[in-house]
Amino acid sequence: MEKRRLGKTGMEVSLLGFGGFHLVEIPADRAADLLTTYLDRGGNYLETAASYGDGESEKKIGEIVKNRRDELVLASKTGVRDAEGAMAEIDRSLKNLQTDHLDIIFMHGVGDEADLEAILKPGGSLEAAKKAKEMGKVKHIGITAHGQPDVLIKALKTGEFEVMMTHFNYFDKFNFPKLEDQLLPLVKEKEIGTLCMKPLADGFLWQNVEDAFRYVFSLPVDAVVTGMNNQEMLEMDLKLAEEFEPLTEAEKEELFANAEELGDYICRQCDQCSVSKELGEDLKAVFRMEGYFDRQMYDGRPRNPAEYALRDRLRFWFGDRELAEARYQKLELKAADLLTKAAEFKACKYGLDIKNKLEIVDYKLGESEVMQ
């Protein structure tokens, strides 16, 4: 399996990383079989968190780590924000994982500026991570975040973090365009280790696994980390990593045009909006706020109960609803304003019904109390 350099850490990581969250769903013996197969096939990045099953994931991984520590890059995460609590959690993670050091400790799930400030301030969890590094308990310090990446970008500009992890996939590319447009160039400029999570958009892309993995493998990331809780899933993901060939630009455009999850509702944030030369940037801004709000998942269309339930569960997954509402109010032109211009709009090259979409955004973020 291909290995890539993890930023400036000096470590190399396999293209496919093993995320430990879903190990809490299966017995320890099955978890051990999966982890052993993964390592035997050339994988070397294992990642978990203290919060996954309140240490259960770490304990299952620890049974493998104790015999193969020198073969792998091992990471865990802490969501605690004070130094004393974070150090206690790091120590517990080391015990659970049956090792004397972590290659990476992540400050996990940084949500907003107040959260970041709590980590960075004296007595915050970064202080504990640095102390743990001085003591040899931790080699590198990282950070993770979900959703709109402004806070993550701010955190990485501090120079305090050597590795970062967030979500990249061909669905959220269009809900959070800063992920690829601003965050990826920043981490490459600063040589920050770059890890992709959620390649299937929290499972939303489950019907197009091959396209989803090939897309993220083609990004300038160092590894793609995913959860695997059965042998069939592991074998599929390993095969995709082992046989990976980068997408061409033409293949990317074909994916963006034809992916069923994007369909004729998701705004592709085109460089040149085909709908209106004059108002294209305003349309994109409105639809970008919808992406922040609920990942453009509610589109007013009836679906079977399973698909509806998945969308309903994932649409507010990242908790950016209030941020979207606040930023929407600051837009110069909102959906209601643009609806007055709808008769002038040309056809969207991706088939979006712009008038209908603006009505839905006005229902989500504007003044309409009932979906028209």
Side-chain angles (χ1 to χ4, degrees), residues 108-111 144-149 165-167 197-198 317-318 320:
H108 188 40
V110 181
T144 80
H146 313 85
Q148 212 297 113
M165 167 177 269
T166 194
H167 58 112
M197 63 170 146
K198 303 182 184 293
W317 197 249
F318 296 140
D320 282 334

Side-chain angles (χ1 to χ4, degrees), residues 3 6 8 25 32 36 43 46 64 93 125 134-135 160 169 183 190 192 194 229 240 259 281 288 296 316 319 338 342:
K3 288 187 170 60
L6 186 62
K8 294 187 291 189
E25 303 166 349
T36 298
L46 299 184
I64 299 299
S93 292
S125 53
E134 291 173 1
M135 298 170 70
E160 297 285 6
N169 54 73
L183 180 62
K190 294 184 172 294
I192 294 169
T194 307
N229 63 5
L240 292 172
E281 292 304 311
R288 194 159 55 246
Q296 303 183 78
F316 298 123
L338 293 166

Side-chain angles (χ1 to χ4, degrees), residues 58-189:
E58 291 179 329
K59 290 174 183 177
K60 289 173 179 174
I61 291 173
E63 288 301 308
I64 299 299
V65 169
K66 67 180 181 181
N67 296 318
R68 305 184 68 163
R69 183 64 183 92
D70 60 347
E71 299 176 43
L72 54 92
V73 174
L74 182 63
S76 196
K77 312 184 189 84
T78 178
V80 178
R81 298 307 187 226
D82 67 282
E84 183 178 356
M87 183 62 81
E89 196 156 76
I90 290 169
D91 286 336
R92 189 183 77 151
S93 292
L94 292 173
K95 181 179 178 181
N96 288 341
L97 290 163
Q98 302 191 52
T99 184
D100 64 353
H101 73 280
L102 294 170
D103 293 297
I104 307 167
I105 183 67
F106 286 101
M107 308 293 100
H108 188 40
V110 181
D112 54 31
E113 291 198 10
D115 204 12
L116 177 61
E117 183 179 339
I119 290 168
L120 296 176
K121 71 181 183 181
S125 53
L126 181 64
E127 184 177 289
K130 287 182 173 181
K131 184 176 180 181
K133 187 175 180 181
E134 291 173 1
M135 298 170 70
K137 296 179 179 182
V138 166
K139 288 188 176 180
H140 304 283
I141 300 171
I143 186 169
T144 80
H146 313 85
Q148 212 297 113
D150 281 355
V151 172
L152 183 55
I153 290 170
K154 182 175 182 179
L156 295 176
K157 287 180 178 179
T158 66
E160 297 285 6
F161 303 100
E162 303 160 87
V163 184
M164 80 91 197
M165 167 177 269
T166 194
H167 58 112
F168 298 99
N169 54 73
Y170 70 74
F171 180 72
D172 284 321
K173 168 184 173 62
F174 301 112
N175 293 311
F176 307 100
K178 284 184 181 180
L179 287 169
E180 293 189 27
D181 295 345
Q182 295 185 28
L183 180 62
L184 278 181
L186 174 66
V187 294
K188 291 305 150 188
E189 175 193 338

